[in-house]
Amino acid sequence: MPTLARPHARPMLPWRLPLHIPVAVLFSLLILGVGTAITLYHFSETRRLLDAANDQLFQGITAEVERTLGDADRAVKRGFVLLTGSPLAEATTFAERLRFLPELTGFLEADPVIDSVMIGYGDGDFLLVRRVGDDRGPWEVVDVSREGDVDEEPVAIVSRFDAALRLVDASTQPSARYEPRLSNWYRLAAASDSLIVTPPQILPQTRQTGITFARRSGAEVFAVNVGLHNLSQLLARPATPPGSRLQLVDRRHAPVASRDTPGDADGEGSAEVITSALRTHPTGHTGSLQLEDAGGRAWRVSTAPLTGFGEQHWTLVIASPEAAIFAEADRQRRHAVRFTVIAVLLCFPLAWGLSRLLTTPLHRLAHVAHALSALQFQPQPETRSVILEVDQLALAITLMRSAISRFLEMGRDLGAARDVGGVLDDVAACAREVAGARLSVVEVIDEAEGPLRRAAGDAMPPALAADRLARCILEADGPASLIAATPDSPDEHVLGIPLRTPDGDALGTLMLVDRRHPGSGLARAEVASFLLALAGSAAVALENQRLLRGRKALLRGVISMVAEAIDAKSPYTGGHCRRVTVIAQALARSAQAATDGPLAAYRLDAAGWEALEIACWLHDCGKLTTPEYVIDKATKLETLHNRIHEIRTRFEVLKRDADIAFWQGVAGGGNQANLQATRDAEWRRLDDDFAFIAHCNRGSEGMNEADLARLDLIATRTWQRTLDHRLGLSNAELARLPDTPAPLPATEPLLADGPDKVIPRANDNLFAAGNPWGFRMTVPERLYNHGELHNLKIVRGTLNDEERFKIKEHIVQTIIMLSRLPFPRDLAAVPEMACGHHETIDGRGYPRRLRADEMSVTARILAVADIFEALTAADRPYRSANTVDEALAIMGRMAEQRIIDADLFARFVQDEVWRHAPPPGVLG
């Protein structure tokens, strides 16, 4: 049979957390994760948008710069149209040329890109008008004229005019510096009929880097200088990220103009990445690069081709620090991170409280589950949750707890029940409650008759043909679901479950009936499973009860057989155990009915009544060890037979010896009359002595001193034994005889009382001090004494001291035998009940000299019943039966002498308990 092993406990984790902590942490991490994801996404999108915006900005800057350059180019060209058509070319003196100063300054003011206007004359004269804007005036005019001797070295007159074109001061300088014909722009324009544009160069006339537009008009060449610093100012118009550098370069990558946006902390870095970008991207390429300078600073470098002055090919380069481009994204990211952290910090208490709210039902359910694992089913507060699954789990655990509790309760009741009918009623009620059915019934197979009978539950409607349904269910292997029609309902749903033992034997059925509808519990699988388990437990309990009844019947039969065997040992004590049982049970019922006095609290449960019955049947089981000739000893000389016959034979021998002496005397010539008188007198004496011995052997009357003296006198007479008395004896008998036999013929006493009649007692520790049973009895020195004179001298009755002890010893053997029987707990009181019927209230009884407070009421009840049965028993070998009145009178004196319980005896008399006893000699 498989055994159930306790599962090994799992090792505890080094640390464990309540559920609300990880829930709160996870909730906070979720907020943090979502915030981080949103932040990263927003940062990425912002970077992308800023990147796109930067590209659009660059495209806008490129378009604006290209438009500005185009406007400047067109303005310069329009100015050339005005200049070339002006009479200024015909002016030959400084004074004549000054008359055109308003026009020239107006021309420069109209286009701030133009830094200065130059006119180179074929004869070497030169006129320069440019803006300076210092403290001495905003306009500077340089004029080189050859007004005198042409061979004389001309002088350059440098004049300063204020905003109202009033002369501020004038000075002279050598004219060589201003010789136009030596300038590149003059030579290129003089050699061309079209407008020429010089590459960026240092103008010797202005000592500034710029670009010169020049065009020949006759012998004169008009030129306009566009300073690179003016172009750089044009680049300042577009808005760029802080720290950016805008730079115009020509095809040789020479800077044309540049502008640094405030905030650039590393101008060398921007120049470095621009140079690197121009090496990477060929001229005319449009695009962006991500580069790092020597310091590891990231830059975004964008390049785009432009059409410069005079159709020159320039490239616009913008180098912007990525930190500046994405400063807004970084700022928003920092704000988002701060917001996320603040949100987490603010939401954590909320998450903590929410997690506690959500996990509190789980904590309660865990407590309930732990209690269920310990099979504790105390009522618990209802657990509800706003979480559907948790609420469903709570409902499921509540139903499970109720089901397990009810199932275990039913199992406990089924296992401990003595009244199976009542338990089956509970099974039917439980099944009806769980399934929500209208009717439930348990039918069992009658052990004796065979057909099914209703054992518990509701009466089934006759229209359902319950017997036929039950037979169908018995043939099913599991739950059977049937639909039956009745006059009251066309759709009756019947769920039947067979009650089977683990071996498959059918014991009965559990049937439930309900009207068929969608919400019927009979249609639910979990209900069917519960009912199947309940039916299985009921079947096991029913089978256990049947087996228990069978075992109990067998036990009672064995006990009855032993008790009747004890009674059958003697024809005089037949039916004693049965009558004692009836009397004791009647007296126990009377004692239990007492409402006051010492017996008011006396009660017996079902196990107590069973224990009382078994104790009554077994109270004399020790008599199995008592020899029958001791139990049934009707005369003093009786052992296995009545030895009066041996003594009679000896008397016959003595009478024959007297007769032989008579005839020998006659044959010897003696007086026949005298010899006959002597013989007759001897015969009368022998007859009288034998009659006395026979009377003493009966033991019906007491012996006085004269009787004892006469027995001693008779015992002095002898007779002659001529045969060896050792012949035919057992080894035990031979061991009691002297080693040397007496010579024959041997003289033997008329009443044998020698050592061979004494049986010694073996060493016996049963009655030693401190024995485990508590026996306290005076033990005779000898086991048996079969001496004829010794037994005939018994003063009262037929038993000598050794035999009387042997009779008492039956209760000793009863105690030993019953103490060795493995009585179950509910019958553990049987030995105490059965073994106290020879004890007395005052402690003078045997074998343990118990007092009243050391004996149970039931043990004292059995003592009263045993004494009454012994007093009224018929045909005891040593006396006649007492009448009821005589027995009650004797027992009354015993109650007064505190031999039996006076309260029980009073109930015995008051309720006339003796009337329940079968008449003496009647066994059943």
Side-chain angles (χ1 to χ4, degrees):
M1 178 179 179
T3 58
L4 293 177
R6 181 180 180 181
H8 296 291
R10 294 187 304 168
M12 298 294 290
L13 294 176
W15 54 269
R16 296 181 300 171
L17 296 175
L19 180 60
H20 66 275
I21 294 179
V23 168
V25 171
L26 289 176
F27 189 78
S28 301
L29 290 178
L30 178 62
I31 296 175
L32 181 60
V34 171
T36 302
I38 293 174
T39 300
L40 293 177
Y41 175 78
H42 186 266
F43 176 70
S44 175
E45 287 298 307
T46 303
R47 281 180 64 96
R48 187 180 63 81
L49 292 175
L50 290 176
D51 196 14
N54 186 66
D55 290 342
Q56 292 179 357
L57 176 63
F58 176 70
Q59 293 173 6
I61 293 173
T62 301
E64 184 176 355
V65 170
E66 189 170 21
R67 184 175 59 254
T68 301
L69 290 177
D71 291 343
D73 184 68
R74 287 189 293 272
V76 171
K77 290 178 179 180
R78 286 195 302 270
F80 268 99
V81 173
L82 295 175
L83 289 175
T84 56
S86 172
L88 180 61
E90 300 174 358
T92 58
T93 65
F94 177 57
E96 293 177 353
R97 294 171 184 157
L98 282 180
R99 288 188 292 113
F100 295 97
L101 181 60
E103 297 179 8
L104 294 176
T105 56
F107 173 72
L108 292 177
E109 287 181 344
D111 193 347
V113 176
I114 301 174
D115 186 56
S116 62
V117 177
M118 299 182 298
I119 303 173
Y121 295 90
D123 57 358
D125 286 355
F126 176 75
L127 178 64
L128 169 66
V129 179
R130 69 186 183 100
R131 62 168 61 88
V132 287
D134 55 18
D135 295 339
R136 291 184 298 167
W139 304 104
E140 182 183 71
V141 178
V142 178
D143 180 78
V144 179
S145 300
R146 300 178 186 270
E147 297 179 357
D149 188 357
V150 295
D151 295 329
E152 184 182 355
E153 181 69 24
V155 177
I157 300 173
V158 179
S159 304
R160 287 293 185 96
F161 294 88
D162 61 11
L165 299 181
R166 292 188 297 267
L167 179 65
V168 176
D169 63 23
S171 63
T172 61
Q173 295 180 3
S175 63
R177 171 185 172 190
Y178 300 103
E179 173 58 50
R181 292 170 296 184
L182 298 179
S183 299
N184 189 35
W185 55 272
Y186 185 90
R187 290 185 286 107
L188 293 175
S192 175
D193 292 332
S194 61
L195 180 67
I196 61 99
V197 180
T198 66
Q201 57 187 345
I202 297 177
L203 301 176
Q205 292 80 9
T206 62
R207 300 293 177 90
Q208 292 181 348
T209 303
I211 299 172
T212 302
F213 290 77
R215 186 170 186 177
R216 180 175 57 85
S217 177
E220 291 76 25
V221 174
F222 289 87
V224 175
N225 292 324
V226 178
L228 294 185
H229 64 280
N230 292 331
L231 291 178
S232 298
Q233 291 178 358
L234 289 177
L235 297 181
R237 296 178 182 176
T240 57
S244 300
R245 168 171 285 190
L246 278 75
Q247 189 167 332
L248 281 172
V249 297
D250 59 14
R251 64 173 58 245
R252 296 189 306 274
H253 298 167
V256 174
S258 65
R259 189 264 296 178
D260 292 331
T261 305
D264 181 16
D266 190 0
E268 294 182 0
S270 61
E272 177 186 347
V273 296
I274 288 175
T275 302
S276 177
L278 291 175
R279 286 198 304 266
T280 304
H281 282 176
T283 303
H285 176 79
T286 301
S288 297
L289 287 176
Q290 289 181 330
L291 299 174
E292 290 186 358
D293 58 18
R297 188 178 184 186
W299 293 81
R300 177 66 61 86
V301 182
S302 302
T303 62
L306 292 176
T307 301
F309 294 147
E311 304 299 326
Q312 293 186 12
H313 296 288
W314 291 352
T315 300
L316 176 63
V317 183
I318 299 179
S320 300
E322 286 197 350
I325 296 174
F326 301 119
E328 180 64 20
D330 291 336
R331 186 186 66 80
Q332 293 186 13
R333 180 182 61 182
R334 289 191 298 271
H335 289 175
V337 169
R338 284 195 294 270
F339 176 79
T340 301
V341 172
I342 294 173
V344 170
L345 293 178
L346 293 178
C347 290
F348 186 78
L350 178 63
W352 183 274
L354 182 61
S355 66
R356 293 284 298 194
L357 177 64
L358 296 179
T359 58
T360 296
L362 291 177
H363 287 303
R364 293 178 181 173
L365 294 179
H367 177 72
V368 173
H370 182 72
L372 286 179
S373 68
L375 299 182
Q376 298 175 357
F377 302 100
Q378 293 85 355
Q380 300 286 345
E382 183 181 11
T383 301
R384 301 303 302 269
S385 174
V386 297
I387 305 300
L388 176 62
E389 290 75 6
V390 175
D391 198 57
Q392 291 175 341
L393 177 62
L395 178 60
I397 290 181
T398 300
L399 295 176
M400 179 178 68
R401 181 181 62 186
S402 176
I404 294 176
S405 174
R406 192 63 183 270
F407 187 77
L408 291 179
E409 180 181 354
M410 292 301 304
R412 182 173 60 252
D413 293 344
L414 289 171
R418 296 179 180 272
D419 179 14
V420 180
V423 175
L424 292 181
D425 281 332
D426 291 341
V427 170
C430 177
R432 182 172 57 250
E433 177 184 346
V434 170
R438 288 191 304 111
L439 303 173
S440 63
V441 62
V442 177
E443 294 196 352
V444 299
I445 299 176
D446 194 286
E447 292 181 275
E449 301 177 2
L452 285 163
R453 61 176 178 84
R454 184 169 67 89
D458 306 305
M460 299 290 282
L464 280 179
D467 291 342
R468 185 166 58 86
L469 288 176
R471 291 295 177 186
C472 295
I473 294 169
L474 280 177
E475 297 176 358
D477 294 331
S481 182
L482 306 173
I483 303 299
T486 64
D488 297 332
S489 174
D491 275 338
E492 289 284 0
H493 190 177
V494 180
L495 179 63
I497 302 174
L499 304 182
R500 296 186 183 276
T501 66
D503 296 332
D505 297 332
L507 301 178
T509 61
L510 169 63
M511 290 189 296
L512 297 102
V513 180
D514 196 12
R515 288 187 174 86
R516 188 180 182 186
H517 58 87
S520 174
L522 301 184
R524 291 162 54 192
E526 63 272 19
V527 172
S529 299
F530 178 83
L531 295 178
L532 184 61
L534 182 64
S537 298
V540 171
L542 187 59
E543 177 66 7
N544 288 341
Q545 289 298 319
R546 288 186 176 183
L547 292 175
L548 182 60
R549 285 199 301 270
R551 299 298 188 274
K552 286 187 175 181
L554 177 62
L555 175 63
R556 288 177 179 173
V558 171
I559 292 173
S560 177
M561 179 183 66
V562 171
E564 291 177 356
I566 295 170
D567 290 347
K569 287 183 64 176
S570 169
Y572 305 107
T573 60
H576 170 72
C577 293
R578 184 182 297 274
R579 288 194 293 272
V580 167
T581 300
V582 175
I583 296 171
Q585 289 175 334
L587 181 56
R589 287 192 293 271
S590 174
Q592 191 165 260
T595 57
D596 56 7
L599 300 177
Y602 177 70
R603 294 293 182 272
L604 284 179
D605 56 11
W609 285 107
E610 186 177 5
L612 171 61
E613 181 181 6
I614 294 175
C616 291
W617 280 106
L618 295 179
H619 78 285
D620 276 344
C621 65
K623 286 184 178 179
L624 289 171
T625 65
T626 305
E628 295 178 20
Y629 69 87
V630 177
I631 297 176
D632 297 339
K633 189 177 182 184
T635 63
K636 296 178 180 180
L637 294 175
E638 185 174 353
T639 54
L640 295 178
H641 68 287
N642 194 343
R643 291 174 295 158
I644 192 65
H645 303 298
E646 297 180 9
I647 295 176
R648 181 188 298 111
T649 301
R650 295 179 202 142
F651 272 88
E652 292 290 352
V653 170
L654 289 177
K655 290 181 72 175
R656 190 170 292 110
D657 287 346
D659 190 44
I660 291 173
F662 164 71
W663 290 110
Q664 286 179 344
V666 172
N671 186 325
Q672 184 175 359
N674 292 336
L675 291 173
Q676 184 176 358
T678 301
R679 184 197 65 180
D680 292 342
E682 180 68 12
W683 279 5
R684 286 192 297 273
R685 186 167 56 256
L686 289 173
D687 289 342
D688 186 52
D689 287 345
F690 179 75
F692 175 71
I693 290 175
H695 175 74
C696 291
N697 188 40
R698 292 278 296 177
S700 57
E701 297 180 4
M703 300 284 289
N704 55 36
E705 293 297 330
D707 295 334
L708 297 177
R710 185 178 178 183
L711 285 175
D712 289 334
L713 180 61
I714 295 173
T716 60
R717 299 193 64 169
T718 60
W719 62 285
Q720 293 296 312
R721 176 175 57 80
T722 60
L723 297 175
D724 188 354
H725 67 301
R726 302 170 66 90
L727 298 176
L729 298 184
S730 66
N731 292 335
E733 292 173 307
L734 291 174
R736 295 196 295 268
L737 292 175
D739 294 337
T740 303
L744 297 176
T747 300
E748 298 283 354
L750 183 59
L751 297 178
D753 217 8
D756 59 312
K757 304 297 183 183
V758 176
I759 300 177
R761 180 178 293 275
N763 292 332
D764 194 348
N765 295 324
L766 284 178
F767 305 99
N771 65 83
W773 297 278
F775 299 144
R776 293 190 294 169
M777 297 177 68
T778 301
V779 183
E781 181 182 356
R782 302 174 181 87
L783 181 62
Y784 293 110
N785 190 339
H786 297 316
E788 294 167 349
L789 178 61
H790 176 78
N791 281 275
L792 288 172
K793 291 175 71 176
I794 296 171
V795 175
R796 186 175 297 280
T798 61
L799 299 176
N800 59 32
D801 291 341
E802 292 80 8
E803 292 165 338
R804 194 174 301 279
F805 182 82
K806 177 57 69 173
I807 290 291
K808 291 182 178 180
E809 197 177 15
H810 84 276
I811 190 60
V812 172
Q813 296 302 323
T814 297
I815 292 174
I816 294 173
M817 293 167 68
L818 294 183
S819 66
R820 291 173 178 170
L821 291 179
F823 286 104
R825 183 173 59 183
D826 57 340
L827 300 179
V830 167
E832 189 275 335
M833 294 178 182
C835 300
H837 59 282
H838 289 296
E839 304 286 352
T840 62
I841 300 301
D842 58 1
R844 291 177 294 141
Y846 65 91
R848 292 179 287 191
R849 299 181 185 176
L850 300 177
R851 304 181 66 85
D853 57 355
E854 298 176 287
M855 292 186 293
S856 65
V857 175
T858 307
R860 285 178 269 161
I861 287 174
L862 201 151
V864 173
D866 183 70
I867 290 173
F868 179 81
E869 200 286 326
L871 290 175
T872 57
D875 299 328
R876 288 295 169 96
Y878 43 84
R879 61 165 176 78
S880 300
N882 293 293
T883 64
V884 171
D885 291 338
E886 292 172 342
L888 294 179
I890 295 172
M891 293 176 69
R893 291 192 293 273
M894 295 175 72
E896 294 174 358
Q897 297 169 6
R898 302 191 73 241
I899 296 175
I900 61 175
D901 190 299
D903 297 308
L904 288 173
F905 178 69
R907 300 293 305 183
F908 188 85
V909 175
Q910 174 184 333
D911 292 345
E912 298 182 346
V913 173
W914 69 83
R915 295 188 183 279
H916 296 84
V922 179
L923 299 181

